[in-house]
Amino acid sequence: MTPAMSMTRADLAFRYPTNALLRDGTAVVFRPAVAADRESLIGFARALNEDDLLYLREDITSPDVVDDWLTDVARGETFTVVAEVGDRIVGYGSLHLEPARWTRHVGEIRINVHPDYRGTGLGGELAGEVRAIAPAFNVRLLSAQMPVDQLTARTVFERLGFRHQAILPGWVMDRDGRDLDLLIMATDI
Ligand SMILES: CC(C)(COP(=O)(O)OP(=O)(O)OC[C@H]1O[C@@H](n2cnc3c(N)ncnc32)[C@H](O)[C@@H]1OP(=O)(O)O)[C@@H](O)C(=O)NCCC(=O)NCCS
């Protein structure tokens, strides 16, 4: 495998699929998301409960939002690695980029694990995977955003070396219209 710091986008074609064993012995395959994953991703999102949906930047139960996501994947502005058990998507990790902005060196990581697979180490594996491929996208700073009370995600990111950057009071509005504080974490790549 190419060392992470010298990885290029071309190297990604050789990186996948990869296999991993979760803590409970479940075999998982990681591979890049493609347009044909649309229905599986919508199905995955619809298995999430209200609390989970609160912790997501966007409402991925909406087909329009998933279409925009996969359009960004096709354009190379988002890279998503999905975790599959058999032919079922059980989690994903995404790297979101803004190549035309002055934050073009900053990538944003988003991770999401099916409720049945939480606490198995999958979230940590996916976050580690996104961190590993970030250099291929010229990311120098990797950020993660979450409501301040999302303690599980904080644990996952802290273990990977992410540190608190800012708390923005009231910057998250939940689905019931309540304000929450937004925590921004980041790590150098
Ligand atoms: C965040 C998320 C991806 C973590 O997935 P996961 O597969 O459960 O993660 P892991 O099993 O790798 O690690 C979670 C760790 O957090 C720990 N944890 C759980 N609840 C916690 C809490 N309240 N406080 C501190 N740590 C906690 C777990 O014990 C586990 O640690 P362990 O490895 O020592 O057992 C998952 O909860 C999720 O999909 N949440 C909804 C989406 C989201 O919030 N994404 C983050 C913002 S981008």
Side-chain angles (χ1 to χ4, degrees), residues 23 55 111-113 118-121 123-124 150-153 155 159:
R23 208 177 286 155
Y55 290 131
I111 54 172
N112 205 345
V113 169
R118 297 211 183 134
T120 61
Q150 187 13 333
L151 299 177
T152 315
T155 300
R159 283 179 182 166

